[in-house]
């Protein structure tokens, strides 16, 4: 990063006092573009040759040339993490770098859904709902059919849809609430418990099954608990074998960088590719 | 201090695997595990219509009387209930069993709409309020062979349809709605009289009660009516009382009607070709698409261009139809389900399918049934979900809230809803458990 060429200093508009054309000591304000002092090559420190400022370029009178600060421009980077992903889960994990951390908070306030692929196994129940925990009980599962599972999924979706409408804090008696409900755009914009907006069974081969879950404000352990409860509802038991996040708001697996590509070039490309998507989403939701 | 027999450290992977394989397997679902049929009720309970006596007269010290049951509550029944109907403050539950007791009634019985319920305190008098589903004794000729197909309830009368012994009527007959001659100054309370109707052109396949009139649909596709006619709801061409079921003509003469519906003073009929016919009260624009008059006493064809209609439901002031594609259209007056701005319309308006759960994610959701209460609507989807909307009179919507609902809202029922019956201030649903 330190070897990369330095960006040109940002310009900003300042109103500078300048002698009025009428003369006689009156001073009027004139708008002029000046480089921001923070980016000044004499400021935080640059390596290599730097231009000296001319007499009319600064806003606070002339500057005395002092000894420039030398050294690497970047010593540490501020990296912020997006929505949590726990140790046993995998998938898309959003990080913000430098000024991107502010965008992270904005994205959090958008309350966009995340999509997970959750794999489960019937016939076992463990104490932490995943297949690596201590075994609590084993049950039969031959009576389970895909139809029964889909019925349970439909009910889960139904109750969660209701929760979605209730926590969105909109007065149900208004015409605008009706219109948002028709378009399906009602979503909670504040604090709310985990809500599953959509579930679908992707794969069903006893004893294994795989679900695609769209959710809000959840934790991975909540999803594992959901798998366990589904097992109980089907008069058997289930453990969660896999939790993989495939979409987090606007970021999908295609945008994500695997371990082999954690280098500056790919990161810069990825940031540039996602910039437009993030901006449009923020504008659409937060206005 | 560990004993000499215990292991040194945590069990190894191999030991864990062996322990797991040796663990016993529990079986929770038996071989013959079938989905169970249940009945859920909700709404105003003080009339006894919910069939739970402890809501009205608590049987334990800690229980308090519950005036309104806001969310679905399970009602235990002895038999599997195949048909349910809600009247004005009372409920009828029927099972298609061959046992002697086929119909149970609960709620208001001031006009003997639940038959004669012998009081235990005074053997000559009957109960005016029945708090628990109690058997209704029907005067059947072959009680161990006849099956009850369907029941229907109006304001103060009820109809019971059997497969081989015609229709039984009971309750108030001051307008001839029970299909027998009106007797001056008849006292309906504590009456043992249950009338049997058999004279129709063919077997009766559906019975419907309006507020004070009765409609009968026969296998041949014709419709008979009797009862009060001041709004033209009998459809017989006059505004008088009819005390004998008489066949309707008008625009439905010769048409094969496959479904009739009524609950207030307006009636709708659907033909096998998907056309809708209406007659009766039109003060709330129910029939304003064909006529300006507020009472229509002859069935008129309603020329709606909404596609082939599969089912119709009539409420007190609003009507709803379901088309073959699974869309719901509403018109009339009141809370119609399209937000607070739509209060009245004479032309059917479609309720967007997205409100019933149809979205890009689940595009196959369709509405399978529509039902109407006096001022509320209910819709069942093909996934077994129940949506309600309308005026929330004494908690009858079952949403858990007391506010009116201006667009379809899901009712959380622990099971797949198979059928629902709407009354004035309570509802009954027939539900099948998930597994």
């Amino acid at each position: 990063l330190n070897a990369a060429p330095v960006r040109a200093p940002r310009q900003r508009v300042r109103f500078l006092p300048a002698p009025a054309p009428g003369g006689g000591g009156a001073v009027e304000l004139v708008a002029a573009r000046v480089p921001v002092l923070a980016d000044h090559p004499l400021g935080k420190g640059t390596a290599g040759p730097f231009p000296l400022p001319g007499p009319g370029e600064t806003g606070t009178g002339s500057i005395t040339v002092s000894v420039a600060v030398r050294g690497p421009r970047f010593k540490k980077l501020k990296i912020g993490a997006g929505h949590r992903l726990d140790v046993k889960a995998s998938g898309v994990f959003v990080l913000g770098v430098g000024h991107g951390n502010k965008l992270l908070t904005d994205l959090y306030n958008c309350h966009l859904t995340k999509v997970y692929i959750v794999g489960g196994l019937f016939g076992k129940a463990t104490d932490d709902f995943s297949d690596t925990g201590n075994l609590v009980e084993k049950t039969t599962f031959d009576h389970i059919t895909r139809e029964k599972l889909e019925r349970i999924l439909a009910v889960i979706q139904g109750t969660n849809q209701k929760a979605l409408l209730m926590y969105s804090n909109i007065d149900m008696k208004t015409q605008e609430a009706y219109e948002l409900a028709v378009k399906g755009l009602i979503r909670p914009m504040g604090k709310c418990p985990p809500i599953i907006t959509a579930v679908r069974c992707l794969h069903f081969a006893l004893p294994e099954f795989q679900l695609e879950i769209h959710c809000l404000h959840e934790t991975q352990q909540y999803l594992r608990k959901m798998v366990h409860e589904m097992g109980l509802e089907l008069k058997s038991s289930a453990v969660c074998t896999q939790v993989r996040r495939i979409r987090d708001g606007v970021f999908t697996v295609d945008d994500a960088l695997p371990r082999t590509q954690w280098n500056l070039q790919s990161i810069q490309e990825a940031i540039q590719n996602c910039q437009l998507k993030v901006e449009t989403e923020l504008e659409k939701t937060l206005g | 201090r560990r004993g000499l027999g215990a292991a040194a450290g945590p069990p190894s992977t191999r030991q864990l695997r062996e322990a797991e394989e040796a663990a016993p397997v529990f079986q929770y679902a038996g071989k013959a595990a079938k989905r169970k049929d249940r009945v859920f009720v909700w709404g105003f309970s003080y009339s006894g219509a919910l069939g739970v006596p402890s809501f009205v007269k608590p049987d334990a010290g800690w229980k308090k009387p519950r005036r309104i049951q806001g969310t679905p509550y399970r009602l235990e029944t002895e038999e599997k209930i195949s048909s349910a109907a809600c009247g004005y403050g009372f409920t009828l539950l029927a099972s298609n069993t061959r046992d002697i007791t086929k119909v149970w009634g609960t709620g208001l019985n001031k006009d003997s709409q639940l038959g004669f319920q012998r009081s235990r305190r005074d053997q000559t008098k009957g109960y005016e309020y029945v708090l628990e589903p109690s058997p209704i004794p029907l005067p059947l000729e072959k009680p161990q062979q006849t099956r009850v197909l369907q029941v229907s309830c109006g304001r103060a009368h009820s109809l019971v349809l059997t497969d081989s012994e015609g229709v039984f009527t009971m309750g108030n007959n001051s307008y001839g709605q029970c299909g027998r001659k009106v007797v001056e100054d008849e006292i309906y309370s504590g009456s043992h009289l249950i009338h049997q109707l058999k004279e129709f052109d063919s077997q009766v396949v559906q019975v419907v009660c309006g507020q004070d009139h009765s409609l009968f649909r026969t296998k041949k596709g014709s419709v008979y009516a009797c009862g009060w006619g001041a709004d033209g709801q009998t459809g017989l061409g006059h505004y008088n009382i009819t005390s004998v079921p008489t066949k309707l003509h008008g625009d439905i003469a010769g048409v094969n009607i496959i479904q009739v519906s009524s609950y207030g003073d307006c009636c709708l009929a659907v033909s096998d070709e998907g056309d809708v016919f209406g007659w009766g009260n039109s003060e709330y624009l129910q029939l304003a698409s064909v006529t300006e008059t507020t009472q229509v006493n002859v069935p008129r064809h309603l020329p709606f261009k909404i596609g082939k209609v599969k089912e119709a439901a009539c409420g007190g002031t609003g009507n709803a139809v379901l088309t073959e594609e699974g869309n719901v259209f509403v018109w009339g007056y009141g809370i119609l389900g399209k937000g607070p701005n739509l209060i009245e319309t004479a032309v059917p308006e479609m309720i967007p399918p997205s409100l019933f759960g149809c979205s890009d994610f689940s595009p196959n959701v369709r509405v399978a049934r529509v039902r109407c209460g006096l001022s509320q609507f209910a819709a069942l989807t093909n996934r077994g979900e129940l949506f309600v909307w309308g005026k929330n009179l004494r908690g009858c919507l079952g949403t858990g809230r007391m506010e009116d609902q201006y667009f379809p809202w899901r009712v959380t029922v622990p099971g797949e809803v198979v059928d629902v019956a709407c009354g004035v201030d309570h509802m009954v649903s027939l539900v099948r458990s998930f597994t």
Side-chain angles (χ1 to χ4, degrees):
Chain A
L1 253 185
N2 286 321
V6 180
R7 245 188 336 191
R10 289 170 288 173
Q11 305 274 356
R12 66 176 172 177
V13 176
R14 279 199 73 185
F15 292 97
L16 308 172
V27 162
E28 68 166 13
L29 292 175
V30 168
R33 284 190 93 112
V34 291
V36 173
L37 270 180
D39 287 349
H40 200 280
L42 280 187
K44 292 264 163 52
T46 24
F50 42 87
L52 282 174
E57 276 188 31
T58 57
T60 48
S62 60
I63 195 173
T64 50
V65 177
S66 51
V67 176
V69 180
R70 294 171 65 99
R73 188 175 171 85
F74 292 101
K75 267 201 154 155
K76 49 186 177 182
L77 285 173
K78 280 203 179 132
I79 297 190
H83 294 114
R84 284 197 202 105
L85 200 62
D86 66 8
V87 177
K88 284 185 268 193
S90 62
V92 176
F93 188 37
V94 178
L95 297 161
V97 177
H99 294 299
N101 291 323
K102 292 194 199 104
L103 292 174
L104 269 183
T105 5
D106 290 337
L107 274 179
Y108 178 76
N109 291 334
C110 275
H111 302 285
L112 299 167
T113 55
K114 301 182 213 48
V115 182
Y116 288 81
I117 300 260
V118 174
L121 193 73
F122 284 121
K124 257 171 65 166
T126 54
D127 58 354
D128 66 349
F129 309 137
S130 76
D131 54 349
T132 51
N134 296 325
L135 181 72
V136 167
E137 193 180 63
K138 281 205 316 189
T139 55
T140 58
F141 49 82
D142 316 312
H143 58 276
I144 301 179
T145 60
R146 188 168 183 152
E147 199 191 80
K148 286 186 191 166
L149 183 66
E150 305 220 315
R151 236 178 268 144
I152 305 273
L153 295 181
V155 147
I156 290 178
Q157 239 180 296
T159 42
N160 276 281
Q161 284 280 11
K162 221 174 109 164
L164 198 69
L165 294 178
M166 281 195 340
Y167 282 104
S168 61
N169 282 335
I170 302 185
D171 187 6
M172 292 297 153
K173 293 197 186 154
T174 55
Q175 182 67 15
E176 125 189 26
Y178 165 71
E179 259 145 43
L180 284 176
V182 172
K183 287 191 220 141
L185 290 179
I186 291 191
R187 65 169 11 107
M189 278 309 201
K191 267 200 137 181
C192 72
I195 294 185
I196 294 182
T197 54
V199 203
R200 187 165 53 170
C201 179
L202 293 176
H203 185 64
F204 184 83
L206 283 178
E208 291 176 353
F209 64 98
Q210 224 181 41
L211 304 170
E212 182 185 322
I213 304 185
H214 296 234
C215 40
L216 275 177
H217 296 200
E218 80 307 333
T219 55
Q220 284 77 44
Q221 193 61 9
Y222 178 79
L223 295 175
R224 290 189 195 103
K225 186 171 156 206
M226 188 101 306
V227 169
H228 172 252
E229 281 176 4
M230 265 185 242
L232 290 181
E233 192 68 44
L234 290 163
K235 295 195 182 146
S236 174
S237 52
V239 289
C240 177
T241 48
Q242 176 205 32
V243 177
R244 182 169 171 250
R245 180 150 58 190
I246 56 171
R247 196 164 78 83
D248 183 341
V250 281
F251 301 96
T252 61
V253 177
D254 305 320
D255 305 321
L257 297 172
R259 188 76 182 81
T260 51
Q261 284 181 16
W262 288 6
N263 51 44
L264 181 62
Q265 182 73 5
S266 329
I267 293 178
Q268 276 181 329
E269 264 175 34
I271 293 178
Q272 266 165 5
N273 289 342
C274 294
Q275 222 172 15
L276 187 61
K277 270 197 286 189
V278 171
E279 264 174 37
T280 41
E281 188 60 45
L282 283 177
E283 219 178 277
K284 205 168 63 168
T285 320
L286 296 176
Chain B
R1 272 248 172 134
R2 63 175 173 91
L4 295 165
S12 69
T13 331
R14 189 167 140 236
Q15 276 172 328
L16 278 174
R17 204 164 18 112
E18 278 171 0
E20 200 176 299
E21 267 153 38
V25 179
F26 290 87
Q27 184 179 24
Y28 290 111
K31 273 218 183 81
K34 271 184 293 198
R35 295 173 70 187
K36 294 176 203 55
D37 298 283
R38 303 202 167 114
V39 178
F40 283 85
V41 294
W42 61 90
F44 184 62
S45 68
Y46 278 177
S47 58
L50 297 190
V52 184
S54 60
F55 285 169
V56 185
K57 277 183 163 0
D59 47 6
W62 56 267
K63 282 190 191 167
K64 288 208 180 62
R66 210 183 288 193
R67 179 171 167 262
I68 288 175
Q69 174 57 37
T71 48
Y73 185 91
R74 175 138 166 243
L75 182 67
E76 301 267 355
T77 54
E78 287 142 18
E79 294 263 356
K80 171 184 178 275
I81 302 295
S82 58
S83 167
C86 289
Y88 289 38
F90 65 105
T91 317
L92 276 188
L93 304 167
S95 161
N96 68 348
T97 170
R98 282 220 166 110
D99 294 347
I100 308 236
T101 315
K102 302 171 204 288
V103 188
W104 294 262
T106 170
L108 223 50
N109 197 25
K110 287 194 165 177
D111 288 290
S112 299
Q113 54 263 61
L114 305 175
F116 184 73
Q117 302 289 335
R118 199 179 297 278
S119 163
R120 263 183 290 187
R121 254 182 292 178
D122 183 351
Q123 300 279 346
T124 54
K125 294 215 181 68
Y127 281 127
E128 289 207 324
Y129 288 89
V130 180
L131 297 182
E132 215 178 18
S134 310
I136 296 179
L138 294 173
L140 293 166
E141 264 180 31
K142 304 197 171 88
Q144 282 173 325
Q145 284 179 29
T146 323
R147 286 193 205 266
V148 167
L149 298 176
Q150 194 219 325
V151 279
S152 184
C153 303
R155 182 187 60 88
H157 71 297
S158 353
L159 300 178
V160 177
L161 172 65
T162 59
D163 58 353
S164 52
E165 295 197 36
V167 182
F168 289 90
T169 67
M170 46 200 167
N172 190 303
N173 193 44
S174 32
Y175 302 107
Q177 60 265 50
C178 285
R180 56 186 170 88
K181 197 146 161 284
V182 180
V183 174
E184 285 250 352
D185 298 328
E186 182 177 351
I187 300 178
Y188 299 105
S189 163
S191 158
H192 292 252
L193 185 53
I194 297 184
H195 190 64
Q196 188 180 19
L197 293 167
K198 278 184 171 176
E199 270 100 46
F200 298 96
D201 63 0
S202 50
Q203 196 193 0
V204 178
V205 286
Q206 190 192 359
V207 284
V208 167
C209 286
Q211 194 163 2
D212 282 308
H213 69 289
S214 310
L215 298 172
F216 309 84
R217 174 173 71 89
T218 64
K219 208 167 177 176
K220 282 197 180 151
S222 43
V223 180
Y224 286 71
C226 63
W228 202 40
D231 274 328
Q233 57 264 58
T234 45
L236 295 168
H238 56 74
Y239 293 110
N240 307 325
I241 289 174
T242 315
S243 48
V244 172
T246 320
K247 194 164 171 174
L248 270 67
H249 297 281
D251 284 358
I252 61 172
V255 178
N256 184 11
I257 300 291
I258 55 163
Q259 199 240 339
V260 211
S261 171
S262 178
Y263 200 65
D265 291 325
C266 177
C267 312
L268 285 182
V270 179
S271 73
D272 56 351
E273 314 224 315
D275 296 314
V276 184
F277 300 83
W279 64 97
N281 190 359
S282 182
E283 284 165 21
Y284 302 100
L285 308 180
Q286 294 106 316
L287 307 172
S289 52
V290 282
T291 172
E292 294 261 315
T293 53
T294 48
Q295 275 86 19
V296 178
N297 60 2
V298 172
R300 294 286 304 271
H301 171 62
L302 302 176
F304 296 143
K305 305 246 179 326
I306 53 180
K308 197 164 163 198
V309 170
K310 203 164 68 164
E311 199 178 16
C314 262
T317 58
N319 297 341
V321 288
L322 176 67
T323 58
E324 287 276 310
E325 295 116 48
N327 288 324
V328 178
F329 286 80
V330 287
W331 77 100
Y333 173 84
I335 301 179
L336 296 176
K338 290 192 70 163
N341 286 0
L342 187 70
I343 295 289
E344 60 176 7
T345 168
V347 178
E349 299 217 2
M350 184 168 91
I351 296 190
S354 57
L355 288 173
F356 294 114
C358 183
S359 64
D360 301 323
F361 204 73
S362 26
N364 296 328
V365 176
R366 298 270 179 279
V367 175
R369 285 218 174 132
V370 265
R371 297 269 182 267
C372 270
L374 200 63
S375 43
Q376 63 272 47
F377 298 81
L380 293 179
T381 62
N382 54 0
R383 302 233 275 194
E385 289 182 315
L386 172 63
F387 286 84
V388 292
W389 66 98
K391 270 204 98 57
N392 197 2
L393 199 57
R394 300 186 272 274
C396 62
L397 290 185
T399 54
R401 292 153 55 218
M402 296 304 291
E403 289 114 36
D404 300 334
Q405 186 56 35
Y406 289 89
F407 57 88
W409 184 267
R410 258 186 199 84
V411 176
T412 333
V413 181
E416 195 184 311
V417 184
V418 172
D419 201 2
V420 70
C422 305
V424 172
D425 55 9
H426 72 293
M427 278 201 210
V428 169
S429 60
L430 305 179
V431 172
R432 223 187 245 170
S433 69
F434 290 124
T435 46

